[in-house]
Structure formats: structure tokens, C-alpha cells
Amino acid sequence: MNYYVIYDGNCNLCVTLVQLLETLDQGNLFRYIPMQDEQTLQKWGITPQDCQLGMILIDANAPDRRWQGSAAAEEIGRLLPLGNVFVDAYRALPGVKWVGDRVYEQIRDHRYSLFGKRSSTYHSAYCAEGGCKL
């Protein structure tokens, strides 16, 4: 495991994407922490206000190395097998990254109205440091 993915465990879209990553990665590269786990997030100085800006990816080997929002989504994609080819192409097309960033912001800000809100927080089986609340 090399990275922590901090996601909204109450967001249907976010949880679906985490479950897809879980299936693809099987806990080899990523561990998952819901934004609602404030106690765990405090270890990295992450506040609820920080979480309002979107998902966060933390390099477990260098915790000061972080990505947030669409940059986190791109970095996760880049880390997946052959993902760097697609992310590099996405970044290279003029204007596409700018549009992607704006789309991410709109989805982030309206995720509950667009995709619904879960009645309980999703906790991954591949959680950080054995702190699963299953």
C-alpha cells in the first residue's frame, strides 16, 4: 500500500468509484478513508473544511505529498495500470483539463442532488491502518 484515498463516504457516486477501485486494486496500492472519519484525518491535519474541496490522495511514504479534487482523480488514474497513457493524453489536449476541472467542481458541489446521499457512511474493507469500522 502506498496511497490513502480520502473520499466522501456518504456520496453514492464517490462510494461507487471507491468500490470500483477496490475491485481493480484489491488493496495493493490504495487504502480508503471516508471524510467522515475526522479522528483519522486529524493525523494528517485534514479538517472538514479541507474535505469540502473534494477527494484527497496522500502518498503514504511522503504524507506531505498530496493531491486534491480533480488532481487527485488524475493521479489515481495515472497510478492504475496503463492509466498514465490516458491521463497524459487528457492533460495534453488543449482545454480539456480546464473543462474537466470545472466539471469536477460542479459534480463535487452538487453530488448529493445529482447522485444521492447514503443513509450510512461507507467504510472500505481496505481501510487505513486497520481502522475499519465494519
Side-chain angles (χ1 to χ4, degrees):
M1 185 278 310
N2 296 310
Y3 296 91
Y4 296 113
V5 177
I6 300 169
Y7 66 97
D8 184 345
N10 293 339
C11 164
N12 284 329
L13 175 65
C14 309
V15 168
T16 299
L17 294 174
V18 164
Q19 290 171 334
L20 175 63
L21 270 177
E22 290 171 333
T23 301
L24 293 172
D25 181 58
Q26 298 290 304
N28 292 316
L29 190 58
F30 301 110
R31 293 284 188 252
Y32 307 92
I33 307 163
M35 292 177 177
Q36 291 74 18
D37 186 351
E38 293 179 26
Q39 183 178 0
T40 300
L41 297 182
Q42 285 177 351
K43 295 177 185 177
W44 293 292
I46 297 172
T47 67
Q49 293 76 21
D50 296 328
C51 293
Q52 290 177 8
L53 299 175
M55 67 186 301
I56 301 169
L57 180 68
I58 298 175
D59 184 332
N61 300 318
D64 290 339
R65 223 173 130 206
R66 301 175 182 194
W67 300 263
Q68 186 156 22
S70 60
E74 290 172 24
E75 188 64 15
I76 290 168
R78 193 187 68 72
L79 291 166
L80 293 171
L82 297 176
N84 61 329
V85 173
F86 296 102
V87 172
D88 289 346
Y90 164 80
R91 289 176 175 168
L93 293 169
V96 173
K97 176 159 173 38
W98 183 88
V99 169
D101 291 347
R102 304 296 83 72
V103 169
Y104 180 92
E105 291 168 2
Q106 289 300 307
I107 291 172
R108 174 198 68 202
D109 294 345
H110 304 284
R111 63 189 177 272
Y112 295 142
S113 59
L114 292 170
F115 301 100
K117 185 174 181 178
R118 297 173 57 88
S119 59
S120 62
T121 301
Y122 176 78
H123 294 274
S124 172
Y126 303 104
C127 55
E129 301 168 11
C132 296
K133 298 176 183 173
L134 300 176

